[in-house]
Amino acid sequence: NESKRMGSLVEDLLLLARLDQAREMDSKPVDINKVVEDAVISARAAGPEHHITLNSTNTEIFTLGDEVRIHQVVANLLSNARSHTPVGTPIHVAVKATDNGVEVAVSDQGPGLSQEDQKRIFERFYRADGSRVRVGEDGSGLGLSIVDAVMRAHGGSVSVRSELGKGSTFTLHFLNRES
């Protein structure tokens, strides 16, 4: 188990190093609805103790990007929501097209984050208050850093909105780009 954890940590660090070097990512049309639906299906299988809902339009919503990395950032957000909320806490995922691009929001009704944690949550190795709920194995503190780095590599961003005792919403913002 320890070697698996270390292998995963090394892979995460290598990905961050590649992203730091501003290596080009794939820039192909990606059906966001399909990628998010696949990530939700995987999250439901990995964490059946959380009820995960998905709300999206039936229309196709495309953005330019790297499908594997987009799946990874959605999966990271879903994993965090499952890890930091009590068993049975609902998780909601919403996909929508906006005038500026595409947004994917992952919301939970867990313990939420303090204002200080919200300011630092995307820093490498940062771990929010240790008194927060943590189900399963401890993470490396790199998951949200990877989300942030991948989104910046796509010319987009990630944001968090949270209130203690009322949950958190992490939103991925993909900007319209020409192919």
Side-chain angles (χ1 to χ4, degrees):
N1 283 342
E2 187 63 20
S3 68
K4 285 180 188 177
R5 190 181 75 75
M6 290 303 293
S8 178
L9 177 62
V10 169
E11 286 177 26
D12 288 349
L13 288 169
L14 286 171
L15 172 59
L16 284 168
R18 284 192 297 273
L19 292 170
D20 285 347
Q21 293 173 0
R23 290 195 181 163
E24 292 279 325
M25 295 193 111
D26 278 348
S27 188
K28 297 177 182 171
V30 176
D31 182 346
I32 291 291
N33 280 328
K34 181 184 179 324
V35 171
V36 171
E37 181 180 13
D38 289 349
V40 166
I41 289 168
S42 295
R44 286 174 179 156
E49 65 281 352
H50 285 84
H51 180 67
I52 303 173
T53 59
L54 172 60
N55 181 25
S56 182
T57 62
N58 290 335
T59 61
E60 294 177 333
I61 300 176
F62 282 88
T63 192
L64 292 177
D66 183 323
E67 185 172 335
V68 171
R69 293 296 172 220
I70 292 172
H71 183 279
Q72 180 181 16
V73 297
V74 175
N76 279 6
L77 293 180
L78 287 165
S79 176
N80 272 6
R82 290 190 331 270
S83 295
H84 295 290
T85 61
V87 169
T89 302
I91 299 168
H92 181 70
V93 182
V95 180
K96 70 178 181 179
T98 67
D99 290 339
N100 297 327
V102 177
E103 291 185 354
V104 178
V106 177
S107 304
D108 65 59
Q109 297 171 10
L113 294 162
S114 70
Q115 289 297 318
E116 181 60 29
D117 286 339
Q118 289 178 63
K119 291 176 189 170
R120 301 189 57 206
I121 198 73
F122 299 107
E123 294 176 13
R124 292 178 189 181
F125 300 109
Y126 182 75
R127 305 204 44 196
D129 179 8
S131 66
R132 291 182 66 219
V133 172
R134 180 78 176 148
V135 180
E137 305 224 356
D138 284 343
S140 64
L142 292 174
L144 291 175
S145 297
I146 289 171
V147 170
D148 182 53
V150 169
M151 290 307 297
R152 284 187 284 111
H154 278 86
S157 63
V158 60
S159 63
V160 61
R161 190 181 77 247
S162 185
E163 189 175 337
L164 286 173
K166 296 189 178 181
S168 301
T169 298
F170 288 84
T171 304
L172 304 172
H173 308 274
F174 295 91
L175 302 178
N176 286 334
R177 296 185 297 157
E178 298 299 319
S179 51

